[in-house]
Amino acid sequence: AQSVTQLGSHVSVSEGALVLLRCNYSSSVPPYLFWYVQYPNQGLQLLLKYTSAATLVKGINGFEAEFKKSETSFHLTKPSAHMSDAAEYFCAVYSSASKIIFGSGTRLSIRP
Amino acid sequence: AAGVIQSPRHLIKEKRETATLKCYPIPRHDTVYWYQQGPGQDPQFLISFYEKMQSDKGSIPDRFSAQQFSDYHSELNMSSLELGDSALYFCASSLVRRRTGENTEAFFGQGTRLTVV
């Protein structure tokens, strides 16, 4: 079964600093991986997706993620954090064609 | 662009009552997923449908049932509600690529916040 593990339930960075949110996957087949963002009392918004076309994936709001098969990782990064990036971020994988499995989430806080 | 529509956005029910949550997928999407998200929790998969047939089942209580209709909208029916059912319920939809059988990414609705009192 495919799964994802997010390292760090809470990450705090200063405004303008690098954002790095970690996600490792477990899969016996090439995975379909995603990052979703959830703002308070909102739904889940797709940030970016990996579907094996390219290992470096660019998403919305300046975020990007790199698929590293050797490390089974799909970490999310943003060069310069903005106050509006404060939210909950979920890494996810298609466990099968009919189920998406989410990681436990990482809450990102931005310090002024 | 049309998104996934869920109704109602908020619902307050008493214990032992029933609730029906509705989901309208993105037009032409053929797969619907239901998730439950408790406070401070990650979304937990409940059930999914593909072309109006149940395709996968997760940690959905026997008190809950769901179906997908001919117009592809889906309803989640919850009976004998318990306090612990209070959560945010999300619906998502995606499209299966006919040529490869793979799903496109799933798009989520804004959710229905159910409060059981």
Side-chain angles (χ1 to χ4, degrees), chain B residues 7-21:
Chain B
S7 69
R9 289 294 308 277
H10 302 273
L11 191 58
I12 299 175
K13 290 285 185 178
E14 295 188 353
K15 282 192 302 183
R16 292 180 289 278
E17 283 192 317
T18 61
T20 297
L21 278 54

Side-chain angles (χ1 to χ4, degrees), chain A residues 32 34 36 38 41-44 46 49 90 94 96-105, chain B residues 33 35 37 41-43 45 48 55-56 88 90 94 102-106 108-110 113:
Chain A
Y32 274 49
F34 310 89
Y36 285 88
Q38 186 177 31
N41 298 312
Q42 297 291 314
L44 293 153
L46 181 69
K49 61 179 180 180
F90 292 96
Y94 263 125
S96 65
S98 52
K99 182 180 353 183
I100 304 165
I101 301 299
F102 289 88
S104 54
Chain B
Y33 315 79
Y35 286 82
Q37 186 180 31
Q41 304 293 313
D42 56 289
F45 173 73
S48 62
S55 54
D56 209 337
L88 200 51
F90 288 110
S94 67
E102 297 165 335
N103 277 52
T104 63
E105 62 270 30
F108 283 78
Q110 290 298 297
R113 182 169 295 283

Side-chain angles (χ1 to χ4, degrees), chain B residues 50-99:
Chain B
Y50 168 65
E51 283 291 344
K52 293 155 280 185
M53 300 288 290
Q54 180 182 309
S55 54
D56 209 337
K57 198 171 183 180
S59 51
I60 182 170
D62 292 340
R63 299 177 288 108
F64 294 6
S65 65
Q67 56 182 322
Q68 187 178 29
F69 294 85
S70 58
D71 64 352
Y72 293 95
H73 95 271
S74 179
E75 295 184 3
L76 178 65
N77 297 292
M78 310 158 72
S79 62
S80 302
L81 287 170
E82 302 174 356
L83 296 178
D85 296 329
S86 297
L88 200 51
Y89 290 84
F90 288 110
C91 171
S93 73
S94 67
L95 174 68
V96 173
R97 292 194 175 95
R98 303 295 173 185
R99 192 168 61 85

Side-chain angles (χ1 to χ4, degrees), chain A residues 13-72:
Chain A
V13 303
S14 298
E15 190 174 18
L18 171 71
V19 174
L20 171 60
L21 304 182
R22 300 176 187 273
C23 173
N24 287 88
Y25 69 89
S26 172
S27 176
S28 57
V29 298
Y32 274 49
L33 294 163
F34 310 89
W35 275 99
Y36 285 88
V37 61
Q38 186 177 31
Y39 298 99
N41 298 312
Q42 297 291 314
L44 293 153
Q45 182 181 6
L46 181 69
L47 271 179
L48 49 79
K49 61 179 180 180
Y50 168 75
T51 57
S52 75
T55 57
L56 183 61
V57 182
K58 294 188 183 299
I60 62 172
N61 302 339
F63 284 93
E64 62 182 37
E66 186 172 7
F67 175 78
K68 290 187 176 180
K69 186 177 179 179
S70 60
E71 299 176 7
T72 61

